């Protein structure tokens, strides 16, 4: 196990600029202790669960939200059923107030029984469900240039004691715990071979997840996970702490408290007209994965040359003749998308 790089942030005046600067220079997880300590929502949660619920109620837009419901027998682990073809939980539309009512009831019986279902509201746009709250979470997220890049997406996550399987996200992620305690277990992208990724067609929440139960790993079934454990970063995150999770880093998230809430910021540091790398992977499964080994090796060399080799390898081509080999502008991006659509439709 490794320790996450940690910055203590008692001075609230320069937090936004410091986080922006540090995350632009780092490619590993970073914990910013106390970065949101002064937020009213954090102070309410530190006081009590009831104070937290009362605080968010004043912003509740009473709009439909999706909640995930998990039977008590699964001990909070949102995952697959035994067949790995279906989820072990159900999802339904409800309201934030109904989720809060369930969490209150769950908390009241927690000490005496484990028979209550676990409720979990995953990524829900903050301004949609709690409009106006962002004005009271004074964090000027200046990491991206809104004229060139996608603005950060701000989302709310709310639930009880939950275990979310290790997965990765394409955007960079800044996760701020505002209520309860969460434990993150993080793995660098190259550990994918030791994490036993599950099916791609059916996933618990849209992303491929590790089949290993991080809290109780079966090393007989998943022996390579022992190697991943030696490279894991484990981090406890408390109310007011912010955890930076770089793009494509695997992270298992366990809610340790009866009430857990998190606000996170997702962003990408590339122009918005560029495509998603995950789309390339999908097409590669169609067009490359079944090729003979010698052909795949040849295509690997081609991809290394055009995509993964960062040195300037096109200096022998005049600038006016580089076309798609040059930096992609929005017009070129639209033309290339149209070409791809035509090719895929043949």
């Amino acid at each position: 196990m490794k320790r996450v790089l940690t910055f203590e942030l008692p001075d609230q005046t320069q937090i936004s600029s410091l986080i922006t600067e540090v995350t632009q220079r780092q490619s590993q997880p970073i914990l910013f202790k106390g970065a949101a300590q002064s937020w009213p929502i954090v102070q309410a949660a530190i006081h009590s669960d009831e104070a937290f619920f009362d605080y968010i109620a004043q912003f509740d837009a009473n709009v439909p939200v999706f909640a995930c419901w998990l039977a008590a027998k699964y001990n909070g682990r949102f995952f697959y059923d035994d067949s790995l073809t279906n989820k072990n939980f159900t999802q339904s539309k409800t309201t934030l107030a109904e989720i809060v009512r369930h969490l209150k009831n769950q908390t009241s019986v927690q000490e005496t029984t484990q028979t209550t279902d676990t409720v979990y509201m995953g990524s829900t746009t903050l301004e949609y469900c709690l409009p106006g709250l962002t004005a009271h979470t004074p964090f000027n997220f200046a990491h991206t240039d809104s004229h060139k890049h996608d603005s950060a997406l701000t989302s709310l996550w709310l639930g009880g004691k939950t275990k979310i399987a290790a997965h990765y996200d394409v955007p960079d992620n800044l996760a701020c715990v505002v209520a309860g305690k969460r434990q993150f277990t993080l793995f660098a992208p190259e550990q994918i071979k030791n994490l036993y990724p599950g099916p791609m067609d059916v996933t618990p929440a849209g992303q491929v997840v590790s089949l290993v139960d991080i809290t109780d790993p079966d090393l007989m079934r998943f022996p390579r996970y022992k190697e991943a454990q030696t490279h894991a970063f484990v981090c406890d995150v408390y109310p007011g702490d912010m955890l930076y999770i770089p793009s494509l880093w695997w992270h298992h998230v366990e809610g340790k408290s009866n009430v857990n809430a998190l606000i996170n910021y997702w962003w990408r540091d590339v122009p918005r007209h560029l495509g998603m790398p995950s789309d390339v992977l999908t097409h590669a499964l169609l067009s490359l994965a079944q090729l003979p080994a010698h052909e795949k090796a040849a295509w690997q060399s081609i991809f290394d040359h055009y995509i993964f080799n960062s040195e300037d390898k096109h200096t022998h081509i005049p600038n006016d003749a580089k076309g798609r080999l040059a930096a992609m502008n929005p017009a070129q991006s639209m033309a290339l998308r149209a070409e791809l659509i035509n090719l895929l439709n043949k």
Side-chain angles (χ1 to χ4, degrees):
M1 299 288 184
K2 300 183 179 182
R3 295 185 61 184
V4 172
L5 181 64
T6 301
F7 284 80
E8 299 283 348
L9 297 176
D11 181 4
Q12 299 287 308
T13 58
Q14 300 296 326
I15 284 176
S16 299
S17 58
L18 175 61
I19 291 178
T20 297
E21 178 185 353
V22 172
T23 55
Q24 285 177 335
R25 291 190 283 106
Q26 297 289 336
S27 59
Q28 70 176 59
I30 307 167
L31 180 65
F32 297 96
K33 290 289 296 180
Q37 193 73 33
S38 64
W39 290 3
I41 189 174
V42 172
Q43 290 299 312
I46 291 173
H47 184 270
S48 68
D49 291 340
E50 194 65 36
F52 167 74
F53 291 138
D54 288 344
Y55 181 80
I56 64 174
Q58 64 184 306
F59 302 101
D60 188 359
N62 195 31
V63 292
V65 297
F66 282 100
C68 300
W69 305 90
L70 180 69
K73 66 179 182 179
Y74 291 111
N75 195 30
R77 189 186 184 211
F78 287 81
F79 195 61
Y80 291 101
D81 64 10
D82 291 339
S83 71
L84 297 185
T85 60
N86 295 292
K87 303 170 184 178
N88 69 346
F89 59 92
T90 59
Q91 190 176 37
S92 63
K93 277 188 177 181
T94 184
T95 63
L96 190 61
E98 179 59 32
I99 293 173
V100 168
R101 278 194 289 272
H102 185 88
L103 286 172
K104 287 182 177 180
N105 177 64
Q106 185 171 269
T107 300
S108 67
V109 301
Q110 192 74 39
E111 300 301 324
T112 59
T113 179
Q114 295 293 324
T115 61
T116 56
D117 291 348
T118 301
V119 64
Y120 179 67
M121 184 184 78
S123 178
T124 304
T125 304
L126 186 63
E127 196 60 29
Y128 168 75
C129 62
L130 296 176
L133 179 59
T134 52
H136 300 269
T137 53
F139 181 63
N140 179 23
F141 193 79
H143 201 291
T144 58
D145 182 343
S146 61
H147 298 292
K148 296 181 179 179
H149 304 87
D150 287 329
S151 299
L153 174 66
T154 308
S155 299
L156 175 69
W157 311 68
L158 178 65
K161 291 184 176 180
T162 55
K163 300 173 186 176
I164 306 304
H167 63 285
Y168 65 84
D169 300 303
V170 174
D172 285 293
N173 185 1
L174 190 65
C176 176
V177 169
V178 294
K181 171 188 172 183
R182 295 195 186 219
Q183 184 175 84
F184 287 77
T185 306
L186 306 111
F187 306 89
E190 59 266 24
Q191 288 301 315
I192 184 172
K193 61 185 180 294
N194 298 319
L195 292 174
Y196 298 88
M200 298 183 75
D201 299 86
V202 177
T203 64
Q207 290 293 94
V208 171
V209 303
S210 168
L211 296 185
V212 182
D213 183 351
I214 303 299
T215 62
D216 185 23
D218 183 348
L219 297 180
M220 292 293 291
R221 184 181 177 191
F222 306 114
R224 292 196 307 277
Y225 178 68
K226 190 172 183 179
E227 175 66 18
Q229 281 183 310
T230 67
H231 299 280
F233 290 77
V234 179
C235 182
D236 291 331
V237 187
Y238 295 89
D241 295 344
M242 286 184 172
L243 177 64
Y244 169 60
I245 306 173
S247 171
L248 303 181
W249 272 68
W250 292 77
H251 47 287
H252 175 275
V253 188
E254 183 175 2
K256 294 282 197 174
S257 305
N258 293 333
V259 176
N260 294 277
L262 181 145
I263 293 174
N264 86 303
Y265 304 85
W266 269 323
W267 74 96
R268 295 185 69 208
D269 275 338
V270 294
R272 61 169 60 97
H273 63 266
L274 297 182
M276 289 290 287
S278 51
D279 295 340
V280 181
L281 177 60
T282 301
H283 193 198
L285 289 170
L286 172 68
S287 58
L288 293 177
Q290 305 302 315
L291 292 178
H294 69 279
E295 288 190 31
K296 284 199 285 189
W299 277 109
Q300 183 174 352
S301 297
I302 293 171
F303 270 74
D304 283 343
H305 175 77
Y306 284 104
I307 307 299
F308 298 112
N309 188 341
S310 59
E311 68 181 36
D312 187 356
K313 58 270 185 181
H314 306 307
T315 54
H316 59 287
I317 303 175
N319 287 336
D320 291 342
K322 285 183 179 178
R324 68 188 61 179
L325 297 177
M328 192 76 61
N329 60 43
Q332 289 172 314
S333 174
M334 289 183 63
L336 198 53
R337 288 172 188 268
E339 181 181 333
L340 284 171
I341 291 170
N342 289 333
L343 290 171
L344 289 172
N345 284 334
K346 286 185 178 179

